[in-house]
Amino acid sequence: MEIIQFDTQQELDSYAARYITNLVKEKPQAVLGLATGSTPIGIYDKIVQIHNDERVSFKQVTTYNLDEYVGLQPQNDQSYAYYMNSHLFSRIDIVAEQTHLPNGMADDVEAECIQYDKMLAEQPVDVQLLGLGHNGHIGFNEPDQNLSGGTHVVKLKQETREANARFFDSMNDVPEYAVTMGVGSILKANTIILAVRGADKAQIVKDALTGPITTSVPASLLQTHPRVIVLLDREAGRMLN
Ligand code: F6R
């Protein structure tokens, strides 16, 4: 596990964006695993800037997002489909059909999960971008006695709904369920970039990276992966030193 600490958020964003765009330059048909939330926004802005300044094309790139809420239409501005379109997809030359998110509106969500894993098996992720939840979740894999390997439906923990309520009009609007890639699917990526910022994540960063490998801290399973790059700002990394 490689851990890199940055003095500023901008440096962290630039590093992650440079890593991803270098991969796309070297391998135009790269498969990217993408995340939502507040952490990747600056990374996506920087990717758009590099795309414009250096004409890095995403036309042959395929993407798979980690998760999506159940019951939100892609047009809903709180859906992760909407987020991805506004922060990244509509701002680069990626082909819409090559961008994938779990379909939280499917009639048969279970069948959709199987289909998602099938596509992931056919197009393994070259680099997976991850954020970290305060309770150690990755994707929406919440702390539990058991973790699911593949894509599955999860009931969101109250603390996760509260953390995400800031994006919604009221707590009641925050969906109770989501579809997420499982920890097993996430760990199949060739390389994983875990980006974390903020003092409020310092303790969980320490637990996930240096504590025991346990399903009560899903991110601790990243310790078992051979190629994880952890990008931290000063505050998020302050308990490691
Ligand atoms: C988002 C996701 C979540 C977030 C995590 C951190 O697709 O899968 O695991 O990465 O909740 O969110 P932020 O970045 O908002 O602190």
Side-chain angles (χ1 to χ4, degrees):
M1 191 176 267
E2 186 183 358
I3 301 176
I4 310 176
Q5 296 199 40
F6 298 91
D7 284 335
T8 66
Q9 179 61 39
Q10 287 74 13
E11 287 172 73
L12 188 160
D13 293 342
S14 295
Y15 185 97
R18 185 55 71 187
Y19 190 98
I20 290 168
T21 49
N22 279 350
L23 171 71
V24 172
K25 277 185 197 167
E26 278 162 29
K27 185 176 177 185
Q29 296 184 333
V31 180
L32 306 179
L34 299 176
T36 58
S38 53
T39 310
I41 292 176
I43 298 174
Y44 294 148
D45 285 344
K46 199 75 200 163
I47 288 176
V48 171
Q49 194 189 321
I50 296 172
H51 160 75
N52 288 329
D53 293 351
E54 300 173 29
R55 296 171 188 246
V56 182
S57 174
F58 286 74
K59 275 193 181 138
Q60 298 181 66
V61 167
T62 298
T63 64
Y64 286 93
N65 263 77
L66 284 168
D67 41 19
E68 177 60 286
Y69 289 116
V70 168
L72 296 191
Q73 299 277 2
Q75 304 87 302
N76 184 310
D77 63 6
Q78 293 311 327
S79 74
Y80 287 169
Y82 189 96
Y83 169 110
M84 288 310 302
N85 278 326
S86 50
H87 288 293
L88 187 65
F89 298 155
S90 67
R91 303 164 73 198
I92 56 177
D93 61 347
I94 199 159
V95 177
E97 290 70 30
Q98 286 159 210
T99 66
H100 306 281
L101 286 97
N103 178 4
M105 291 301 295
D107 290 335
D108 186 345
V109 183
E110 303 296 337
E112 171 72 17
C113 292
I114 292 168
Q115 177 60 20
Y116 206 68
D117 282 336
K118 204 168 151 235
M119 290 193 295
L120 280 166
E122 282 162 12
Q123 294 184 298
V125 169
D126 290 299
V127 61
Q128 174 70 56
L129 182 60
L130 292 180
L132 178 64
H134 292 100
N135 60 8
H137 73 221
I138 47 175
F140 273 133
N141 294 279
E142 301 280 31
D144 210 335
Q145 283 183 338
N146 298 298
L147 293 176
S148 303
T151 304
H152 60 287
V153 178
V154 275
K155 185 165 169 55
L156 299 177
K157 294 249 183 212
Q158 185 63 11
E159 65 240 39
T160 299
R161 293 185 67 232
E162 279 164 13
N164 290 0
R166 65 190 193 275
F167 301 116
F168 290 83
D169 289 338
S170 81
M171 186 64 196
N172 286 341
D173 294 329
V174 185
E176 286 184 39
Y177 291 90
V179 187
T180 182
M181 274 166 65
V183 175
S185 340
I186 293 171
L187 291 174
K188 283 190 187 132
N190 181 275
T191 300
I192 294 175
I193 296 179
L194 176 68
V196 196
R197 50 180 202 168
D200 53 325
K201 301 258 179 88
Q203 180 65 53
I204 196 65
V205 163
K206 186 175 180 217
D207 294 347
L209 305 189
T210 66
I213 299 172
T214 164
T215 58
S216 2
V217 182
S220 68
L221 275 92
L222 296 174
Q223 294 179 41
T224 66
H225 190 282
R227 270 194 64 74
V228 177
I229 306 170
V230 184
L231 308 180
L232 305 172
D233 71 359
R234 216 183 347 217
E235 289 78 19
R238 71 167 187 210
M239 291 179 77
L240 293 180
N241 304 314

